[in-house]
Amino acid sequence: MRKIKYKKGRKTTPNHLEYTGSHKQWQSHMQLFVYNDTEFAEYQEIAPNDFKKCIDGTQTNWLNIHGLNDIPVIEAIGAFFQIDNFLLSDILNTTRRTKLEESANSLFFNIKSILPAENSDNISIEQISFLIKDGVLISFQEKKSDFFTHIRERIRTHTGIIRTKKADFLLYFLLDAIIENFFITIENEEDKVEELIILSKVSTDPNILIRIEKHRDNFSFLKRSIIPLRDSLYGIKSLREDDLCNVIENETYVYFSRLHQKCLELLEQIESDMGMLESASNFFFSSQSHKMNEIMKTLTIVSAIFIPLTFIAGIYGMNFQHMPELSYHNGYYTVIVIMFLIVIGMIIYFKKRRWF
């Protein structure tokens, strides 16, 4: 889990841009879709110099950028679209929480995309930023991924109504795809939680408790990621009432309301799953306590059986010359039989009392 860390002694100018993420091996690549209901064009591996001739202001434009480590490219994009420097800084700073920034002619959205890591209990995190301005939707991804593959195919094949809508509806589709990743991640976590619940009932391995705490941290991180997303989507809903942003059309607000409802469902599901983890943790400790009690009960019964035997052996182990029964010919065997009968009698008594 990544945490915000203050870099002591670091001093930069306000206009300095630096990518703070972990995917620094990815160079910047750009892909542009230009479409409407009847026309479609796709441009692969374009450069900022190609924007002027490729972007069509009369159609919907989707510019998708993979890789944020190439700062000159990001600066060129910001210069062409006149993006404020503080927004570019938010795009490159992956430690920031989900946020929404709106103005009369633009809308900026910052979000964390989360997926389960393969063959691990960890979670893979990627920050994705969106900016709608002048009929262009720009998406910034830290690395190349397949989050939006099905959306690209819908645009290419003119499936559904996506080609008949504008950039605000495309933003809804992209956000919906990212929220679906949350559902996938939670479902994966739930499968592992069910496995841990079963293991906690049959095993006392302390690694089970470590895994329970790990998944509790994962759910806490998911919750911290979804809450600001929920608040931001609610902020988009409120834009309609304030009438301060012209980027989103009135008929599109209902789709963002659906995303807000999905976030509420995710939070309810996380609360339920965290309760299951708490139950698994309590059951694990209860099993440990029960096992310890069984051990202590067995040791106590054994000790109770040997107390009278130790008492008898202690008496006959005293080195006095004149003691009763010392002259008996079969005294030794008589004492052994008595001790054996005491053991049998105590076992029968404990058994009747159901102490073991």
Side-chain angles (χ1 to χ4, degrees):
M1 185 185 304
R2 294 185 296 182
K3 297 182 179 179
I4 299 175
K5 294 182 179 180
Y6 173 71
K7 295 183 179 180
K8 185 177 181 180
R10 176 186 171 191
K11 297 181 179 179
T12 59
T13 62
N15 293 327
H16 178 78
L17 298 177
E18 180 183 356
Y19 172 59
T20 62
S22 58
H23 304 287
K24 297 186 177 182
Q25 73 276 16
W26 291 88
Q27 297 300 317
S28 297
H29 300 279
M30 289 181 287
Q31 180 185 40
L32 176 64
F33 289 88
V34 182
Y35 62 87
N36 57 22
D37 191 19
T38 58
E39 300 179 5
F40 166 73
E42 180 179 352
Y43 303 94
Q44 299 284 348
E45 302 297 335
I46 66 171
N49 296 332
D50 302 324
F51 291 163
K52 191 172 183 179
K53 64 179 181 180
C54 296
I55 293 177
D56 187 349
T58 62
Q59 302 185 54
T60 301
N61 302 267
W62 175 24
L63 177 63
N64 189 34
I65 297 111
H66 308 112
L68 304 179
N69 197 37
D70 198 342
I71 302 302
V73 172
I74 303 299
E75 290 177 336
I77 295 171
F80 182 85
F81 292 101
Q82 297 180 352
I83 304 173
D84 291 334
N85 202 73
F86 75 91
L87 289 181
L88 293 178
S89 177
D90 288 340
I91 292 170
L92 297 176
N93 189 351
T94 59
T95 61
R96 298 289 176 85
R97 73 196 298 267
T98 296
K99 64 178 295 186
L100 173 70
E101 294 278 350
E102 74 278 353
S103 64
N105 60 350
S106 67
L107 180 69
F108 174 75
F109 206 104
N110 209 3
I111 188 174
K112 296 291 188 295
S113 181
I114 295 176
L115 278 174
E118 295 183 2
N119 303 320
S120 174
D121 288 337
N122 296 323
I123 293 178
S124 177
I125 309 165
E126 178 186 352
Q127 177 171 286
I128 302 179
S129 304
F130 301 100
L131 177 67
I132 299 181
K133 188 172 185 180
D134 301 328
V136 181
L137 172 60
I138 311 172
S139 56
F140 298 86
Q141 297 181 245
E142 291 189 71
K143 60 185 180 68
K144 192 171 183 179
S145 57
D146 56 354
F147 298 155
F148 309 134
T149 301
H150 65 290
I151 299 177
R152 296 187 184 95
E153 289 302 317
R154 278 175 171 263
I155 295 174
R156 294 185 182 111
T157 59
H158 202 335
T159 304
I161 62 174
I162 190 169
R163 289 263 295 268
T164 64
K165 299 290 185 177
K166 295 185 178 179
D168 55 345
F169 185 79
L170 177 60
L171 175 62
Y172 154 73
F173 249 99
L174 299 176
L175 291 176
D176 184 64
I178 294 175
I179 291 177
E180 286 299 319
N181 291 339
F182 280 91
F183 280 103
I184 293 173
T185 304
I186 291 176
E187 183 178 357
N188 181 269
E189 288 290 312
E190 287 176 342
D191 292 339
K192 295 177 179 179
V193 168
E194 290 179 1
E195 177 187 351
L196 286 174
I197 291 175
I198 295 173
L199 289 175
S200 65
K201 296 179 179 179
V202 298
S203 175
T204 56
D205 186 356
N207 288 326
I208 294 176
L209 188 60
I210 296 175
R211 291 187 60 193
I212 288 175
E213 292 300 318
K214 174 62 179 177
H215 288 291
R216 183 181 284 114
D217 290 341
N218 288 347
F219 279 121
S220 297
F221 178 76
L222 287 170
K223 186 176 180 180
R224 292 200 307 271
S225 300
I226 295 172
I227 288 177
L229 175 59
R230 176 203 62 186
D231 296 341
S232 298
L233 289 171
Y234 184 81
I236 290 180
K237 289 173 55 180
S238 64
L239 292 178
R240 184 176 186 177
E241 302 173 359
D242 299 337
D243 197 22
L244 297 176
C245 183
N246 301 321
V247 175
I248 301 177
E249 299 184 346
N250 288 332
E251 59 269 20
T252 311
Y253 281 104
V254 65
Y255 297 107
F256 290 99
S257 298
R258 294 177 183 176
L259 297 182
H260 181 257
Q261 290 297 322
K262 284 189 175 183
C263 288
L264 297 179
E265 293 175 10
L266 287 170
L267 290 174
E268 291 175 357
Q269 197 167 347
I270 288 175
E271 290 293 340
S272 175
D273 293 333
M274 292 184 74
M276 293 176 61
L277 275 177
E278 188 68 26
S279 298
S281 179
N282 292 337
F283 194 92
F284 179 83
F285 284 117
S286 298
S287 298
Q288 292 280 62
S289 299
H290 179 71
K291 183 179 179 181
M292 182 61 66
N293 290 337
E294 289 295 321
I295 294 173
M296 294 303 297
K297 182 173 68 173
T298 302
L299 294 176
T300 302
I301 291 174
V302 172
S303 301
I305 291 173
F306 276 91
I307 285 174
L309 306 184
T310 305
F311 175 74
I312 295 174
I315 290 178
Y316 282 92
M318 292 187 294
N319 296 320
F320 292 109
Q321 182 177 2
H322 301 289
M323 289 182 62
E325 297 89 21
L326 286 179
S327 60
Y328 286 176
H329 180 71
N330 296 321
Y332 172 76
Y333 302 104
T334 303
V335 171
I336 292 296
V337 171
I338 293 174
M339 294 172 70
F340 178 76
L341 292 176
I342 290 174
V343 171
I344 297 299
M346 294 185 69
I347 291 176
I348 293 173
Y349 176 78
F350 293 154
K351 196 72 173 178
K352 286 185 177 181
R353 298 297 299 268
R354 296 183 180 180
W355 289 356
F356 68 93

